[in-house]
Amino acid sequence: MADSLSLEVIDRIACLTITREQVRNALNDETLGRLKASLESLAPPDVAAIVIRGAGLKAFSAGSDIKELASQSLKDRIAHTDLGHALGDVIEQHPCPVIAAIEGYCLGGGLEIALSCDYRIAGARASFGLPEVALGALPSWGGTVRLPRIVGVARARELVLFGRRLSAEEALDWGVINRMVPEGEAFAAARSLAQETFGRTNPDIVSIAKGLLTHGTAVSTRTARHLELLADMSVLASDALDAGARKFTEKKP
């Protein structure tokens, strides 16, 4: 994986780094496939949370590898879109929380991958956008679905149709990212957050809560509440609540 992706797991926090810094961490088919395979190999209880980042400070990812796309057949280009969709779904539905640590450019497919994550931390000089329409393409890795759910339809139209580019400060104001830190500190902040939040939590409970949040927004309120009730019944029937209560009461004041 040294050519396009590196994987490191320390204290149950996994870090996936796109290592194509020379092309602003552009996502070719090889990198997309390795990201997907790596994510599928990571699971609780061995892994509590996952951080995704791009190598260096210039880019989280500038999106699809345009040079590769230009040389592909129509069949290969469609397969590339399918692969981007599949990667986003794996991130969104992964049993572990996934945090994007963003520095520099986060554009096109790079932004769409970040939008699939549960939390986004960005350095102060990061920038965000979906330039596909101006280039004669579409943000087709779930961008037209996930972005409106995060920022609202009106602002999503501004980014997708009008090609608006956002600074890190604007992205924070719009809700595209959850937190802004000084340039160069996004990864350290993301890893620290992952360790502090999920280092000792019950991974099964975290996974269930994430699943309810992910799928509950796609169904009616009544159905979502029923799913929530069924999930709660399952948790209450386990020893998770008692274990959590013991941990809480054993904490020193």
Side-chain angles (χ1 to χ4, degrees), residues 124-234:
R125 297 189 65 182
S127 62
F128 304 81
L130 294 171
E132 286 92 338
V133 168
L135 299 174
L138 293 171
S140 53
W141 291 357
T144 60
V145 178
R146 294 187 179 100
L147 183 63
R149 292 175 179 174
I150 292 171
V151 304
V153 175
R155 283 181 162 174
R157 289 178 189 274
E158 197 168 344
L159 284 170
V160 174
L161 300 180
F162 294 86
R164 171 79 178 268
R165 185 77 64 90
L166 299 179
S167 66
E169 187 174 354
E170 290 171 323
L172 180 63
D173 181 59
W174 281 34
V176 173
I177 62 174
N178 302 85
R179 180 179 169 192
M180 183 176 72
V181 296
E183 182 184 22
E185 296 184 14
F187 173 63
R191 199 181 185 290
S192 177
L193 175 66
Q195 187 64 57
E196 291 172 3
T197 308
F198 304 109
R200 295 185 179 181
T201 56
N202 185 318
D204 294 330
I205 301 299
V206 173
S207 177
I208 292 170
K210 176 175 174 175
L212 289 170
L213 288 165
T214 299
H215 300 292
T217 56
V219 297
S220 69
T221 300
R222 185 170 183 174
T223 300
R225 288 176 62 188
H226 186 64
L227 290 173
E228 189 178 65
L229 175 60
L230 292 174
D232 195 47
M233 290 169 62
S234 174

